[in-house]
Amino acid sequence: MKHLLLVESNESIAGIQACKEMGYTVTLLTQNIQHYLKGQPLESHPLRLVDYIHEVDTFNEEAVVDFVKAYHQANPLTGVMSFAEFYVVQATAAAHAIGVPTMQPLAAKNARNKYKSREICVQSGVPVPRSLLAGSIEEACRHAHSMGYPCIVKPCDGAMSIGVVFVNNERELRQAYDSYVNNRNFGRNLYGSTDVLIEEYAAGPLVSVEMVTYQGQDHLIGITDRRLVGFPYFVETGASFPVRLSHEAEIVEVVRRGLHALGVDFGPTHTEVALTPEGPKIIEFNPRMVGGPVPEMIKYATGIDLPREVLRMHMGEAPELTPSVTRGAASREFCSPVDGRLIEVTGLKELEGRADILRSHFIAAGREVFFPRSNFDWIGRVMVGGDDAEQAEQKCSEIQNTIGLHIAARPIS
């Protein structure tokens, strides 16, 4: 039986469920199993599907590699990977160490480092926003003065839009820098680097290009558009797939050039691109499959079950990446306009029984809610299917107008 080791999991553990449905033996490597169980007995938790669980410092690349090499000797592994953003580099290094299919470790590491990926793109003539690296507030202020306001403050190794802020002047820059450096918690007891990018603001719509690289070929899965709110923060509150753009070929070619410059030779990638007046500019690379609702949207729109195909290629099997249907899907994420407490969500009954609603979920009444500063601040999500992405997006807009968020604002202290 094929044996897969997963370095941590995403919150939904959908990847683990898919592994078991595909007949794989699964070992989960985690820093702390209670992150998932939260006090619940393992036998009543979805993680009971896992065959073996071992606790290791999964944020430590050397510790993960050493464990996997020893474990592989006693329990031969077919594949090693991670669906979770902050563990892709460690999983890639471990997979490479035992000779199972994976991306080149340096490519994964460079893709995760936003400044290093910028440097490589500039050297290769791939369009990116101008960026300068700052290791202190004094350096950040000098760089911003040199670049000119407005500009973007962005963590060098972040995710989920945490710490990404648009600033107009030095006062806002200092506030954004201090806010990030003093609270750079990405969850799971992970803390980001104090290094930040001071970056040119790349004005224009944001899209992401979903690709899979296999046997030297870059396969385009499709392009996802993105809706953003929370300015001066950048929080995603909507997406549709697959969008059709008049200059799609140019966008995809820019991404391919960037991936090749980084040395990406295997696996899924999720690349964000700003469509600026000067042309497409790569905002960031992610050496992993797109997250959130998009894999489910891709499956509905194309028939491609992307998580399963990614698993298969990491297990030495050829992925099936040919669409079997042609449809569209869209999602809408809901956020609070203020910090406070959720009293009630109205309008959800009208969604019941609708065949085109792929998923609908909102947090429970009584929970604390926050003005959106990162993608962790969502209150709920609705995902809709349609004949194409445009129709699905229109349905989302209509649904958004019918749902009411009733929130008790927190008093200003």
Side-chain angles (χ1 to χ4, degrees):
M1 183 178 289
K2 293 191 172 185
H3 187 179
L4 175 68
L5 183 143
L6 287 171
V7 181
E8 299 288 357
S9 174
N10 52 19
E11 297 299 326
S12 70
I13 76 163
I16 292 172
Q17 293 169 330
C19 287
K20 299 309 298 178
E21 290 169 5
M22 296 166 77
Y24 301 153
T25 297
V26 179
T27 292
L28 175 67
L29 212 57
T30 180
Q31 185 180 50
N32 182 3
I33 191 62
Q34 287 302 325
H35 168 77
Y36 304 97
L37 300 182
K38 295 179 173 60
Q40 184 178 345
L42 179 61
E43 56 270 19
S44 62
H45 190 276
L47 277 183
R48 67 185 181 277
L49 297 172
V50 173
D51 298 283
Y52 308 103
I53 298 174
H54 295 276
E55 292 190 339
V56 176
D57 182 1
T58 48
F59 202 55
N60 183 317
E61 181 180 325
E62 184 178 357
V64 172
V65 171
D66 287 347
F67 177 90
V68 169
K69 287 167 67 176
Y71 190 72
H72 179 57
Q73 292 295 317
N75 305 274
L77 296 165
T78 316
V80 176
M81 64 167 294
S82 182
F83 283 114
E85 172 84 19
F86 291 104
Y87 305 95
V88 170
V89 169
Q90 298 90 307
T92 301
H96 187 263
I98 65 170
V100 296
T102 193
M103 184 183 298
Q104 284 294 323
L106 185 59
K109 193 168 292 188
N110 286 340
R112 276 287 297 137
N113 185 309
K114 293 175 174 55
Y115 183 67
K116 187 64 178 177
S117 64
R118 288 279 194 281
E119 278 192 319
I120 291 170
C121 283
V122 169
Q123 292 164 5
S124 302
V126 177
V128 292
R130 183 185 175 209
S131 298
L132 297 169
L133 184 65
S136 67
I137 184 58
E138 293 77 19
E139 196 171 17
C141 289
R142 287 199 302 271
H143 287 339
H145 179 75
S146 169
M147 185 174 296
Y149 292 100
C151 59
I152 303 293
V153 179
K154 176 185 295 183
C156 196
D157 59 352
M160 299 290 287
S161 297
I162 296 170
V164 182
V165 186
F166 177 98
V167 296
N168 289 289
N169 50 51
E170 184 174 320
R171 178 185 61 80
E172 292 180 2
L173 171 62
R174 288 181 175 275
Q175 183 179 24
Y177 182 92
D178 288 345
S179 176
Y180 166 69
V181 169
N182 294 323
N183 186 30
R184 46 194 167 85
N185 187 347
F186 294 142
R188 303 194 192 201
N189 201 32
L190 301 179
Y191 292 86
S193 164
T194 55
D195 289 341
V196 301
L197 296 184
I198 303 302
E199 185 171 283
E200 154 193 21
Y201 174 50
L206 183 70
V207 300
S208 61
V209 178
E210 324 307 343
M211 305 270 276
V212 172
T213 301
Y214 181 71
Q215 292 186 339
Q217 298 294 316
D218 300 316
H219 300 268
L220 174 66
I221 303 301
I223 298 178
T224 313
D225 70 354
R226 302 283 170 169
R227 286 175 170 264
L228 301 174
V229 300
F231 201 78
Y233 307 100
F234 297 86
V235 181
E236 296 177 3
T237 59
S240 57
F241 179 93
V243 293
R244 305 299 180 191
L245 302 170
S246 59
H247 51 316
E248 177 177 311
E250 179 188 6
I251 297 165
V252 173
E253 181 58 24
V254 165
V255 171
R256 282 199 172 107
R257 287 168 51 205
L259 294 176
H260 293 170
L262 289 176
V264 172
D265 59 349
F266 178 90
T269 51
H270 163 64
T271 306
E272 296 183 2
V273 182
L275 307 182
T276 77
E278 297 82 31
K281 294 184 179 182
I282 292 177
I283 299 300
E284 66 179 44
F285 299 95
N286 296 277
R288 45 114 178 137
M289 183 182 73
V290 61
V294 181
E296 190 170 347
M297 291 162 57
I298 289 173
K299 183 177 181 181
Y300 178 86
T302 69
I304 298 171
D305 192 332
L306 194 55
R308 285 179 179 248
E309 300 309 323
V310 169
L311 283 167
R312 290 177 63 196
M313 62 190 295
H314 279 84
M315 299 296 273
E317 305 169 22
E320 178 50 68
L321 303 173
T322 303
S324 58
V325 296
T326 304
R327 296 185 291 209
S331 71
R332 189 72 86 247
E333 284 74 38
F334 294 79
C335 298
S336 173
V338 295
D339 293 348
R341 182 169 56 86
L342 180 64
I343 303 300
E344 183 185 15
V345 180
T346 57
L348 296 180
K349 286 190 177 298
E350 288 80 351
L351 305 183
E352 294 177 2
R354 282 183 53 170
D356 59 347
I357 302 297
L358 307 180
R359 187 175 299 275
S360 176
H361 173 75
F362 284 78
I363 66 172
R367 291 267 300 273
E368 273 195 307
V369 294
F370 303 93
F371 177 84
R373 297 172 178 86
S374 78
N375 293 349
F376 283 122
D377 294 326
W378 293 333
I379 290 175
R381 167 185 291 146
V382 175
M383 195 182 336
V384 185
D387 294 337
D388 54 31
E390 186 176 357
Q391 185 192 64
E393 174 59 33
Q394 179 60 38
K395 290 180 181 182
C396 276
S397 295
E398 293 168 358
I399 289 169
Q400 185 174 17
N401 292 333
T402 66
I403 289 180
L405 302 178
H406 300 269
I407 295 162
R410 181 184 303 160
I412 298 175
S413 56

